[in-house]
Amino acid sequence: MDLLTRLSESLQGGDADQVAELTRQALAAGLAPKPILDQGLIAGMTVVGDRFKAHEIFLPDVLLAAKAMYAGLDLLRPLLAKAGVATGGRVVIGTVRGDLHDIGKNLVAIMLRGAGLEVIDLGKDVAPERFVAAAQEHGAQVIGMSALLTTTMPVMRQVVDLCRERGLYGKVKLIVGGAPLSAEYAREIGADAYCFDGVNAVDVVKRYLGTA
Amino acid sequence: MRALFDIASDDTAPQVEQVLQAQGVPGGGGRSRSPDDAPRRERARQLALQAISLYCEQAVPRGLFDELTADAFEPLLRPGEIGDSPLRQIYPDAGALALYAVTVGEPVSELIGRLFDADDFALASMLDTAASHGAELAAQAIKARWREHLLATGRLQPTTGIMEFSPGYCGWEVTAQQPLFARLRPAEIGIALNSSFLMQPLKSVSGVLVAGDKEIFMFDPEFECCRGCQARTCVDRINSLVAESGLD
């Protein structure tokens, strides 16, 4: 079994120490960081996402795999930056103003990073202006908004409206998620998609970026 | 009567199966079809046990209840209410009412944040689930204290049931949190309300406890508010109520 396959399988097993060790070995063997990322880490996370969608593994398995992914990614990130390797895409994400629930948003951010995307996490209680300004500043292709309260859902519409005002609407994809939301609500406020979990968010974002 | 309580964290510790079920792990109702489930189930179980242990170390559960009359409750039900609701139908027939609030405190939420920051996502997520259940169990503990008080004051009959309702559920608009907080003053146990009617610490529960003949709680979930409800926890709650004895 080659090194990158072992790396992918260690990641799928959620073995962070082993993933870090194999990533070091791959670099020591002279492999470039980009194939280690693509064929080792991202390949492993893709399998994890597929198995989760097929109900073959559980949420804790996905999150342990994500931790393992980060163990490898931490070693690769400075090398990828130094080599000028572009990320798979850029997503600005946050929990909307007035809402302090961030577990769901964190899980989505973890999965997006696991898919090789750059995630600018604005945290929680994020004002519409901050979403839009961050998307402009970082040149993001996607804005992801999370809300767990019916009282904070309307803030998502404010972000959509602000994107219209600033000429970003249609250029930046707007995705929403959270327990009280639905695809119908996303359509109603003019968002591009409703994502029901992190794995689904990865699929949706990849589709928008043309990398699915 | 108004009463504040400290609750032992162990008394609000969720069962490991509850946590696993909420995480979608089989044994707890998940849907995995893989033949190699067992080792991953065991790994998840160990994580859940660790999360529950951390919860018991970090949680500082506190709660209070404050009795009030139906007339005093009416203004708390009204804000923003749209149409009829189960609570509007039930509370006028109640024998006793009490507002309540509980929290498991801020330290457990802070630990969840630190675990996420340390990339310990699975444990963070498991602890979040454990803390959510802990807050619900703290609410049950306050309900039990009120039940004891009703018994001590001769207001608990064999046919009496107690059911809890919270703003944001069953047609009781979440905006009712504001008048509820103004009357109950849960700041005394460390709970604040933000402008979105969100409680801080996050792992807190508030609402009204309704005591009355069990028959008053029997309703068909066919109210306007029931249409968009995916939880349908009312069915289990009514079934539990039927099963329990008023004088236990």
Side-chain angles (χ1 to χ4, degrees):
Chain A
M1 192 187 300
D2 71 56
L3 198 53
L4 295 182
T5 304
R6 283 168 58 204
L7 180 57
S8 168
E9 293 195 350
S10 295
L11 184 147
Q12 291 170 47
D15 190 337
D17 292 341
Q18 183 72 0
V19 166
E21 176 54 30
L22 289 171
T23 303
R24 283 191 202 96
Q25 284 183 27
L27 290 167
L31 288 174
K34 179 71 169 150
I36 299 174
L37 176 67
D38 290 343
Q39 295 162 43
L41 303 182
I42 294 177
M45 276 310 283
T46 303
V47 173
V48 168
D50 289 345
R51 294 192 71 194
F52 182 68
K53 275 188 286 188
H55 307 299
E56 291 177 358
I57 60 172
F58 320 123
L59 179 62
D61 301 318
V62 176
L63 296 178
L64 288 167
K67 180 180 181 178
M69 167 97 189
Y70 277 39
L73 201 54
D74 286 347
L75 297 169
L76 296 182
R77 198 176 282 122
L79 303 172
L80 290 163
K82 194 174 172 185
V85 176
T87 59
R90 205 166 284 149
V91 181
V92 164
I93 193 168
T95 302
V96 299
R97 185 173 60 197
D99 210 325
L100 303 175
H101 295 98
D102 62 356
I103 297 295
K105 180 269 296 172
N106 289 344
L107 298 182
V108 171
I110 288 163
M111 293 307 296
L112 291 171
R113 287 194 180 109
L117 301 164
E118 185 180 348
V119 177
I120 296 102
D121 188 346
L122 303 178
K124 52 198 175 189
D125 196 16
V126 179
E129 294 77 13
R130 280 190 65 210
F131 277 106
V132 176
Q136 288 177 313
E137 180 190 343
H138 296 281
Q141 293 97 337
V142 179
I143 293 175
M145 296 170 270
S146 171
L148 204 75
L149 298 169
T150 52
T151 48
T152 56
M153 285 163 55
V155 179
M156 294 174 162
R157 187 193 292 272
Q158 293 172 21
V159 176
V160 174
D161 291 345
L162 198 57
C163 282
R164 284 197 171 98
E165 277 178 42
R166 304 273 171 88
L168 290 182
Y169 194 74
K171 295 175 187 165
V172 174
K173 294 292 185 185
L174 302 165
I175 63 173
V176 296
L181 296 166
S182 63
E184 187 183 3
Y185 184 76
R187 273 194 300 275
E188 185 186 317
I189 64 171
D192 293 285
Y194 158 72
C195 301
F196 53 82
D197 65 17
V199 173
N200 177 235
V202 168
D203 287 345
V204 168
V205 171
K206 279 182 160 182
R207 197 168 67 236
Y208 289 146
L209 298 173
T211 55
Chain B
M1 180 196 173
R2 185 172 193 270
L4 281 67
F5 301 94
D6 290 322
I7 306 164
S9 63
D10 286 356
D11 290 347
T12 66
Q15 298 293 312
V16 67
E17 289 304 327
Q18 284 180 301
V19 176
L20 290 173
Q21 182 172 0
Q23 292 262 320
V25 178
R31 294 182 294 165
S32 173
R33 301 189 200 104
S34 175
D36 60 345
D37 268 3
R40 284 182 291 99
R41 260 204 320 264
E42 180 54 26
R43 184 169 68 171
R45 185 180 177 78
Q46 291 306 318
L47 268 173
L49 287 169
Q50 191 183 352
I52 293 167
S53 173
L54 286 173
Y55 169 80
C56 290
E57 284 172 21
Q58 297 292 321
V60 192
R62 298 198 75 199
L64 83 161
F65 68 72
D66 188 8
E67 294 185 305
L68 76 174
T69 63
D71 285 347
F73 179 64
E74 167 65 24
L76 276 66
L77 184 59
R78 200 182 296 138
E81 191 191 2
I82 303 162
D84 205 358
S85 67
L87 185 55
R88 175 165 286 285
Q89 180 182 289
I90 290 165
Y91 91 90
D93 295 325
L97 295 163
L99 300 180
Y100 78 99
V102 293
T103 182
V104 299
E106 197 61 53
V108 68
S109 292
E110 289 170 358
L111 178 57
I112 292 165
R114 288 199 299 278
L115 288 170
F116 264 113
D117 290 343
D119 297 348
D120 215 340
F121 312 127
L123 185 57
S125 172
M126 205 70 89
L127 180 56
D128 184 76
T129 300
S132 294
H133 279 286
E136 293 296 336
L137 290 167
Q140 293 305 312
I142 290 298
K143 183 173 157 183
R145 302 287 175 97
W146 191 49
R147 179 189 297 274
E148 288 166 10
H149 172 66
L150 290 175
L151 183 60
T153 51
R155 290 181 288 165
L156 198 67
Q157 307 303 320
T159 56
T160 301
I162 302 175
M163 194 180 267
E164 65 277 25
F165 294 87
S166 292
Y169 298 91
C170 293
W172 192 11
E173 285 289 300
V174 73
T175 52
Q177 285 278 43
Q178 205 160 39
L180 187 153
F181 264 63
R183 181 176 175 108
L184 185 61
R185 305 188 312 277
E188 286 180 42
I189 56 166
I191 309 177
L193 191 70
N194 78 2
S195 59
S196 306
F197 312 105
L198 177 66
M199 287 181 283
Q200 285 178 271
L202 279 180
K203 303 302 181 187
S204 303
V205 180
S206 64
V208 65
L209 296 165
V210 183
D213 194 282
K214 288 178 185 176
E215 282 188 5
I216 72 170
F217 298 105
M218 305 302 146
F219 66 88
D220 292 324
E222 291 172 1
F223 292 90
E224 190 178 336
C225 60
C226 302
R227 284 182 207 152
C229 177
Q230 295 168 0
R232 297 270 166 170
T233 56
C234 58
V235 177
D236 289 339
R237 277 146 47 91
I238 291 171
N239 288 341
S240 303
L241 195 71
V242 171
E244 77 185 20
S245 164
L247 286 170
D248 50 6

